[in-house]
């Protein structure tokens, strides 16, 4: 048992790196876990904390800002399976990634604090693509999706009218007021499945 990253985990860490690189507003907590088997010279809590820290350092070395990452070890406190078999113990030795909603939402909203920032963001195609992806990603927490939609709307970025309507309805605010009359008519036609 070790806190060294296994070679078999590098492909998954590369995927995590790409997600974080494409969504610079996401903050993540990396959680390390262990089984109940004793480790020589180190507690299971220290071992799991070391696992999380190793993954954090790996992502930082690849270029992810340390301020967006947090490491936490849980030891054997949160098993996925009973520790009574070798398969159960193997399943419990793991690292998990959890999106920090509050921090991510705050980072998103800070992207458009000034008119100049909104204009720069609107012209940054890569950032707008990341925001579109975040706003429409089914597995992303709703607060983060709404914040991404708000940012897209506030900077006037090109975005599917259907999603702008969706964001406006979810927020219960006048987010759809940024659309002109013809666009709004088109959105309602699409939303209500009305003929042209």
């Amino acid at each position: 048992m070790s806190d060294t990253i296994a070679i078999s985990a590098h492909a998954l860490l590369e995927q995590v790196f790409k997600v974080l690189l494409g969504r610079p507003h996401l903050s993540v907590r990396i959680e390390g876990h262990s089984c109940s088997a004793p480790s020589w010279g180190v507690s299971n809590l220290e071992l799991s904390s070391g696992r999380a820290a190793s993954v954090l350092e790996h992502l930082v070395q690849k270029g992810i800002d340390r301020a967006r990452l947090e490491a936490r070890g849980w030891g054997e406190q949160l098993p996925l399976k009973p520790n009574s078999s070798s398969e159960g113990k193997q399943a419990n030795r793991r690292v998990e990634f959890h999106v920090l909603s509050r921090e991510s939402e705050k980072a998103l909203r800070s992207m458009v604090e000034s008119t100049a920032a909104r204009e720069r963001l609107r012209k940054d195609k890569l950032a707008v693509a990341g925001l579109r992806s975040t706003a429409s990603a089914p597995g992303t927490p709703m607060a983060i999706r709404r914040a991404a939609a708000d940012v897209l709307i506030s900077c006037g970025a090109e975005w599917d009218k259907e999603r702008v309507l969706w964001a406006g309805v979810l927020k219960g605010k006048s987010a759809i007021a940024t659309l002109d009359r013809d666009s709004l008519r088109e959105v309602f036609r699409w939303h209500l499945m009305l003929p042209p």
Side-chain angles (χ1 to χ4, degrees):
M1 292 181 267
S2 163
D3 60 6
T4 303
I5 298 172
I7 293 174
S8 60
H10 283 261
L12 177 61
L13 287 178
E14 184 63 23
Q15 290 176 358
V16 170
F17 167 71
K18 287 178 180 176
V19 167
L20 291 172
L21 190 63
R23 295 187 176 103
H25 49 277
L26 287 183
S27 294
V28 175
R29 182 176 55 243
I30 303 161
E31 295 184 353
H33 299 271
S34 68
C35 66
S36 62
S39 299
W40 296 104
V42 65
S43 73
N44 283 332
L45 182 58
E46 291 170 320
L47 178 64
S48 64
S49 295
R51 285 186 178 136
S54 293
V55 170
L56 183 145
E57 289 304 323
H58 176 83
L59 292 170
V60 167
Q61 287 175 5
K62 289 188 67 70
I64 301 301
D65 184 1
R66 183 180 302 275
R68 297 174 50 205
L69 304 172
E70 173 184 310
R72 167 101 195 251
W74 287 99
E76 59 193 77
Q77 296 177 37
L78 302 170
L80 287 177
K81 296 186 176 183
N83 282 301
S84 55
S85 69
S86 60
E87 292 84 19
K89 289 178 183 177
Q90 180 63 36
N92 293 331
R93 293 189 292 263
R94 69 193 188 280
V95 171
E96 297 175 346
F97 298 90
H98 298 272
V99 173
L100 300 172
S101 296
R102 185 173 297 132
E103 290 84 349
S104 298
E105 184 179 351
K106 182 179 176 184
L108 276 166
R109 294 192 189 285
S110 72
M111 295 172 79
V112 290
E113 289 178 340
S114 69
T115 304
R118 285 190 291 276
E119 187 61 27
R120 276 192 310 275
L121 180 61
R122 189 176 66 76
K123 293 177 180 178
D124 185 343
K125 293 180 182 187
L126 186 60
V128 169
L131 287 166
R132 284 183 188 136
S133 179
T134 299
S136 58
T140 303
M142 190 58 71
I144 295 173
R145 292 177 70 182
R146 287 182 193 151
D150 283 348
V151 170
L152 286 165
I153 291 166
S154 68
C155 73
E158 290 295 321
W159 197 38
D160 296 345
K161 294 174 187 112
E162 296 85 3
R163 291 197 176 107
V164 172
L165 175 66
W166 169 82
V169 169
L170 282 179
K171 290 187 66 54
K173 294 183 178 178
S174 59
I176 57 177
T178 60
L179 297 174
D180 60 34
R181 178 179 285 166
D182 291 335
S183 297
L184 193 56
R185 189 177 301 128
E186 185 180 326
V187 169
F188 280 113
R189 186 177 302 126
W190 172 85
H191 183 68
L192 300 172
M193 301 299 181
L194 298 174

